[in-house]
Amino acid sequence: MSSNKVYKPKPVSGFPEYLPEVRLVEQQWLDHIRRVFESYGFCSVETPSVEELDVLSAKGEVDKEIYVLERLHKEEGGKDARLALHFDQTVPLARYVAQHFNDLTFPFKRYQMQRVWRGERPQAGRFREFTQCDIDVINVDSLPLHFDAEMPAIIWETLSSLPGMENEKIQLRISNRKILIGLLEGKTNNIPEALRIIDKIEKIGKDEVTKLLSKDCAIDDENIKIIMNLVGHDGYYILQDLTASNEMMAQGMEEIKFVKEQLSNLPEEAVKVDLSIVRGLDYYTGTVYETVFTDDPGYGSICSGGRYDDLAGQYINKALPGVGISIGFSRLFAKLLEQGKLPIARKSPADVLMLLPADDQHDKATEAAQTLRKNGHNVEMYHKAQKLQKQLSYAEKKGIPYVWFPGDGEVKDMATGEQVKADPQSWTPHE
RNA sequence: GCGACCGUAGCUCAGCUGGUAGAGCACUCGGUUGUGAUCCGAGUUGUCGCGGGUUCAAGCCCCGUCGGUCGCCCCA
């Protein structure tokens, strides 16, 4: 402390942290999301920050940059670390369901709001540590398609009512993987690559996609035409007179039509069928979701998910289909913060600052504060009998809306300056 | 992991063709007795990211390195 050599702290890139006034709004958001999720009957689950590496990599290649845990004082010749931070909440859920299979009641509906970690290079809206808010439904053997339709409805309700989101234009884009995969069947021997290219259509444009499909996937011009017709227009419109080229494609078409029709009570622009959407995660098998700011789709998806017919199958010998969606909380929040659209106000949750005009009023102040707290108000005590000038400006700076004078029992409204006699037992703020 | 740009007080930045650092904000105190937001005065704050080189002299030039931002990859 007294040393003149200070270590100058700097933020760790990709690991956001906020000031109290921002955090206050963040908590408001999390509470809001939690309430909506619970209103649909989802129950809360929290899993450890770490999973065994084998669990995380059970599905597909580990192309995600996973943070592996390594102990600082690892003993020489010690075994390699087997634990890693989870990079999403879906894989841990699958493990969770498999592990507690006997004790869960199906359909199992859970929400999970935790941090996840990805070792990617940070950018605007992309972090290395961030919060996701997931809802998923998992059932045994089969899961009604109604759940696929319920997901976007819940998300729409949640996002459009978040404080500060009222005027944001967002759009849920939905698709069904079976359509594109069915269509590509037999047209290329590199379907994954073709999907990756098509998924980028918004970013790189139709011409570039056309070029790449021909060059990298060896798809002939006629088939490219068919594909581009499918993904280059409003999907729901295209579906009306599209002929399926195989069973898988037909199934996908039927499913997406059903989902879209179930969502007809939402505003016109809220949900759009976009057949170019595939999503990178390889465990999705049917419906997929993506959500963007209509005026800034390049910012990336702020809420994605989909159906997976067999995720837990890696951990248990049962058929456990599920569908889920995840709010990219940090990405969404960061965008509104950056644009100054969050309702940032107070720096403290205190409603009242209990002043201390003189030391001999301390007991009285404590008593009044306790009474106020019992009645549901948040009260901070000023513990040093400094000039009132200081105490008031402290309240002002922290954005505490009321100050209390314990001596003669008066309360002052900092916004209006009005000061009146009040009883801590019965006092309530003006609105 | 690859490419482009950037790195000066806690924050945002200025610093002329190289001559050994400044502004605003913030912070502390004050403008007399128990009342804040404005205003005024005073004060504190820097190994100019780090290391090396060129030079009589470098924040400014060169090389390296680390860190940051953006793009690619991938994704919430």
Side-chain angles (χ1 to χ4, degrees), chain A residues 124-243:
Chain A
R126 172 198 280 181
F127 305 101
R128 296 200 281 205
E129 174 180 78
F130 57 100
T131 300
Q132 287 189 314
C133 307
D134 283 36
I135 44 175
D136 286 85
V137 184
I138 294 191
N139 201 22
V140 185
D141 292 334
S142 75
L143 181 71
L145 207 53
H146 285 93
F147 283 113
D148 293 53
E150 198 177 38
M151 293 291 147
I154 297 169
I155 290 304
W156 179 260
E157 179 181 338
T158 308
L159 296 187
S160 58
S161 55
L162 277 169
M165 279 291 287
E166 297 84 359
N167 299 316
E168 293 306 298
K169 287 199 200 70
I170 55 169
Q171 183 171 62
L172 277 124
R173 297 176 177 175
I174 61 173
S175 183
N176 191 302
R177 285 192 143 195
K178 291 174 188 168
I179 301 176
L180 253 188
I181 294 175
L183 182 72
L184 288 167
E185 199 68 51
K187 295 185 170 63
T188 174
N189 51 17
N190 196 348
I191 291 184
E193 179 62 17
L195 292 176
R196 220 189 323 273
I197 293 168
I198 292 166
D199 197 47
K200 280 196 274 196
I201 191 167
E202 182 155 70
K203 198 166 199 170
I204 64 179
K206 290 181 195 175
D207 294 347
E208 193 64 23
V209 170
T210 304
K211 213 180 298 170
L212 289 174
L213 285 178
S214 162
K215 203 178 106 212
D216 296 354
C217 304
I219 301 175
D220 62 55
D221 291 355
E222 194 187 336
N223 280 322
I224 286 182
K225 218 167 164 184
I226 295 172
I227 295 166
M228 295 311 289
N229 178 54
L230 193 73
V231 302
H233 304 90
D234 183 300
Y236 191 60
Y237 175 75
I238 293 294
L239 280 174
Q240 299 315 313
D241 37 33
L242 183 68
T243 321

Side-chain angles (χ1 to χ4, degrees), chain A residues 4-16:
Chain A
N4 50 13
K5 205 156 197 179
V6 294
Y7 175 79
K8 193 176 169 182
K10 38 187 183 260
V12 181
S13 176
F15 291 75

Side-chain angles (χ1 to χ4, degrees), chain A residues 247-265:
Chain A
E247 178 54 27
M248 180 186 256
M249 191 173 166
Q251 216 178 65
M253 287 167 61
E254 212 168 292
E255 289 178 9
I256 193 74
K257 271 190 204 164
F258 177 84
V259 171
K260 171 69 179 168
E261 272 146 30
Q262 289 291 303
L263 293 166
S264 56
N265 56 326

Side-chain angles (χ1 to χ4, degrees), chain A residues 146-398:
Chain A
H146 285 93
F147 283 113
D148 293 53
E150 198 177 38
M151 293 291 147
I154 297 169
I155 290 304
W156 179 260
E157 179 181 338
T158 308
L159 296 187
S160 58
S161 55
L162 277 169
M165 279 291 287
E166 297 84 359
N167 299 316
E168 293 306 298
K169 287 199 200 70
I170 55 169
Q171 183 171 62
L172 277 124
R173 297 176 177 175
I174 61 173
S175 183
N176 191 302
R177 285 192 143 195
K178 291 174 188 168
I179 301 176
L180 253 188
I181 294 175
L183 182 72
L184 288 167
E185 199 68 51
K187 295 185 170 63
T188 174
N189 51 17
N190 196 348
I191 291 184
E193 179 62 17
L195 292 176
R196 220 189 323 273
I197 293 168
I198 292 166
D199 197 47
K200 280 196 274 196
I201 191 167
E202 182 155 70
K203 198 166 199 170
I204 64 179
K206 290 181 195 175
D207 294 347
E208 193 64 23
V209 170
T210 304
K211 213 180 298 170
L212 289 174
L213 285 178
S214 162
K215 203 178 106 212
D216 296 354
C217 304
I219 301 175
D220 62 55
D221 291 355
E222 194 187 336
N223 280 322
I224 286 182
K225 218 167 164 184
I226 295 172
I227 295 166
M228 295 311 289
N229 178 54
L230 193 73
V231 302
H233 304 90
D234 183 300
Y236 191 60
Y237 175 75
I238 293 294
L239 280 174
Q240 299 315 313
D241 37 33
L242 183 68
T243 321
S245 48
N246 53 36
E247 178 54 27
M248 180 186 256
M249 191 173 166
Q251 216 178 65
M253 287 167 61
E254 212 168 292
E255 289 178 9
I256 193 74
K257 271 190 204 164
F258 177 84
V259 171
K260 171 69 179 168
E261 272 146 30
Q262 289 291 303
L263 293 166
S264 56
N265 56 326
L266 293 183
E268 176 68 23
E269 283 299 297
V271 179
K272 189 183 165 195
V273 175
D274 181 341
L275 300 177
S276 72
I277 302 221
V278 231
R279 304 265 71 227
L281 288 170
D282 38 25
Y283 46 69
Y284 295 127
T285 49
T287 312
V288 283
Y289 317 101
E290 202 168 280
T291 313
V292 293
F293 285 99
T294 316
D295 54 7
D296 186 12
Y299 186 67
S301 176
I302 49 164
C303 182
S304 310
R307 173 177 277 250
Y308 37 91
D309 281 335
D310 181 36
L311 189 62
Q314 305 288 331
Y315 315 110
I316 190 171
N317 191 20
K318 299 254 187 234
L320 297 172
V323 62
I325 191 162
S326 168
I327 299 175
F329 184 94
S330 302
R331 174 175 289 180
L332 178 62
F333 190 76
K335 166 102 171 168
L336 268 83
L337 173 64
E338 201 242 326
Q339 296 188 322
K341 288 175 175 165
L342 292 177
I344 292 169
R346 307 182 187 182
K347 292 184 176 166
S348 157
D351 306 311
V352 177
L353 177 68
M354 185 59 64
L355 303 176
L356 185 62
D359 279 319
D360 60 11
Q361 290 179 24
H362 199 271
D363 289 349
K364 233 177 152 177
T366 306
E367 197 188 322
Q370 268 315 92
T371 306
L372 285 166
R373 289 191 192 108
K374 268 185 202 138
N375 287 312
H377 304 112
N378 299 336
V379 185
E380 173 174 349
M381 300 261 306
Y382 204 93
H383 282 299
K384 200 174 174 192
Q386 284 179 301
K387 311 170 81 161
L388 279 176
Q389 190 176 229
K390 274 196 166 306
Q391 303 193 33
L392 285 163
S393 90
Y394 174 75
E396 206 273 324
K397 269 191 288 189
K398 271 202 172 177

